[in-house]
Amino acid sequence: MSVTPCGFTRTPEKGLARLHWGDTGWAAEGEPLDVPALRPLRGLEVEWPDRRVPLDGLLELAAAGVPLTAGHAPPWVPDDLAALLTDRDWLGHAADGTARSLADLRREEHSVRLRRLAHPVAVPQVSILMATRRPALVGQALAQMESQRDVRAEVLLGLHGVRHDQVRDAVAACSLPVRWVEADASVPFGEVLNRAAALASGDHLAKWDDDDWYGPRHLADLFMAASYAGADVVGTTAEFFYLEPLKATVRRTTFASGASYPSEVWADHVAGGTIMVSRTKFHEIGGFPGLPRAVDLEFLKAAQKAGARVYRTHGLGYVLRRGLSADHTWQLPLSHFLKVAVNQWRGFRPSLLMEAA
């Protein structure tokens, strides 16, 4: 049985099915467990036997991201698993069979929580890499880095046309180790990142954008995905966008062409502000290209040319901030994001996994 969420289906074609204890172990509707065959289901409703039984098969389903639910849990089920199975809030939204369904989003959030429980990993040492031209945003970014759970992190700042004096208070207030380099504004963006990366002591490098939002499990989820997929480079989907001039949040699950933009897949593209790579592999790839723009895209191309495997995990713990196109290295008009949106909300409305109001 597959024990990774690779192939997770965002919009299921069928409803809930029954998961029960059979003669030879856990079974779904009387059939042996087969994850690919279960992908079209909205989820599995657990029917408990009248005695204690092994939970291995059930945990493998959780590891595969198959949504599981139960009306109750017997006392021999561990508390953390029981709490997830009996939290049925995700079932409180009607599914309409389209990608616009809020039910699908709540279902995927539930799936991610199950994956986290079923894929325990060692706490990684991560060097968070951020280049910035905007000293006013550094304090906010550092606060989000401090909130990361289940990682040991250090911060490497590339001050791009910015003096340390301009961010001194924000750095002093940060509880994480922070080191920095100063570079003139004329130095290409990619070179600034490389100069900061040269200070790294962590086993993994994680790129961070100063104006975006990251959930408290962002780094841990990236490392988890890299671990279960065996990926060299991992990142998230670019799924949630906050359109600042419009004060609106949009979500996309397709490209502008209409093609699907799935998570939990091997891919040639991930959100640039979420790239994580081992420090060893980073140097094998040759670091970031010394370019002023398109640094993330060119890094991913170089990674694949070097034989690195790139995996794209869920994007529910990340929100990109979009202002006017001139404010970003990724220059697309706001109309583009409205065009590809499958959901639109007023105000800041991230996934529940962001744990933000």
Side-chain angles (χ1 to χ4, degrees):
M1 179 194 300
S2 170
V3 290
T4 83
C6 189
F8 175 79
T9 301
R10 276 201 181 110
T11 301
E13 301 169 0
K14 302 177 182 179
L16 290 174
R18 183 173 62 106
L19 179 69
H20 62 96
W21 183 258
D23 294 336
T24 59
W26 291 99
E29 298 295 337
E31 298 294 328
L33 298 182
D34 177 14
V35 169
L38 299 175
R39 291 294 186 204
L41 295 174
R42 189 179 186 194
L44 291 171
E45 179 100 29
V46 181
E47 296 182 356
W48 302 106
D50 57 6
R51 66 188 188 282
R52 181 191 294 266
V53 298
L55 294 173
D56 296 3
L58 191 148
L59 289 172
E60 287 181 342
L61 291 172
V66 176
L68 304 172
T69 187
H72 74 285
W76 45 269
V77 176
D79 290 345
D80 49 2
L81 177 60
L84 278 178
L85 294 178
T86 58
D87 181 355
R88 297 165 70 88
D89 288 350
W90 67 279
L91 291 169
H93 300 270
D96 63 9
T98 73
R100 296 179 183 274
S101 174
L102 186 61
D104 290 346
L105 175 57
R106 298 285 93 95
R107 171 180 174 268
E108 187 171 357
E109 291 164 346
H110 181 66
S111 170
V112 172
R113 294 186 181 106
L114 286 167
R115 299 171 204 176
R116 291 170 175 171
L117 179 66
H119 284 286
V121 293
V123 175
Q125 295 182 337
V126 180
S127 298
I128 305 174
L129 184 62
M130 186 177 80
T132 183
R133 292 178 179 269
R134 296 170 285 201
L137 298 181
V138 170
Q140 169 192 285
L142 292 177
Q144 292 185 82
M145 296 175 194
E146 284 183 290
S147 75
Q148 295 299 299
R149 298 183 196 142
D150 299 323
V151 296
R152 292 193 294 273
E154 66 175 2
V155 182
L156 310 175
L157 293 179
L159 301 176
H160 198 186
V162 174
R163 301 185 312 278
H164 176 250
D165 287 350
Q166 295 174 270
V167 298
R168 183 186 303 276
D169 291 345
V171 169
C174 182
S175 61
L176 299 175
V178 182
R179 286 180 282 178
W180 62 89
V181 294
E182 295 184 12
D184 292 339
S186 60
V187 176
F189 180 71
E191 177 59 25
V192 178
L193 288 170
N194 287 333
R195 292 182 187 181
L199 304 176
S201 62
D203 297 326
H204 291 78
L205 292 172
K207 189 170 175 291
W208 196 282
D209 283 353
D210 59 5
D211 58 344
D212 294 336
W213 289 273
Y214 297 80
R217 284 275 313 187
H218 168 72
L219 293 176
D221 280 358
L222 287 178
F223 182 72
M224 177 181 69
S227 299
Y228 63 61
D232 298 304
V233 180
V234 67
T236 78
T237 54
E239 188 168 338
F240 281 84
F241 299 82
Y242 181 64
L243 309 183
E244 199 164 39
L246 304 180
K247 294 181 172 58
T249 303
V250 300
R251 176 176 174 243
R252 72 164 182 177
T253 57
T254 61
F255 291 103
S257 64
S260 175
Y261 183 53
S263 62
E264 305 305 334
V265 293
W266 296 101
D268 59 3
H269 177 266
V270 299
T274 69
I275 291 171
M276 178 181 280
V277 58
S278 74
R279 184 154 56 103
T280 299
K281 184 61 67 173
F282 176 79
H283 290 301
E284 288 178 8
I285 294 168
F288 289 103
L291 301 172
R293 293 185 182 276
V295 169
D296 305 325
L297 178 62
E298 294 303 320
F299 174 80
L300 293 171
K301 289 181 180 178
Q304 291 181 304
K305 287 181 180 178
R309 303 183 75 202
V310 181
Y311 188 81
R312 187 166 67 224
T313 189
H314 76 87
L316 305 187
Y318 177 56
V319 179
L320 292 88
R321 185 200 308 258
R322 303 305 302 182
L324 300 176
S325 59
D327 298 333
H328 302 275
T329 55
W330 182 25
Q331 293 194 344
L332 287 171
L334 295 178
S335 59
H336 167 83
F337 300 99
L338 294 173
K339 180 180 178 181
V340 299
V342 295
N343 299 103
Q344 296 183 37
W345 299 277
R346 292 181 180 178
F348 185 67
R349 291 282 301 278
S351 157
L352 298 180
L353 297 186
M354 292 287 291
E355 301 183 25

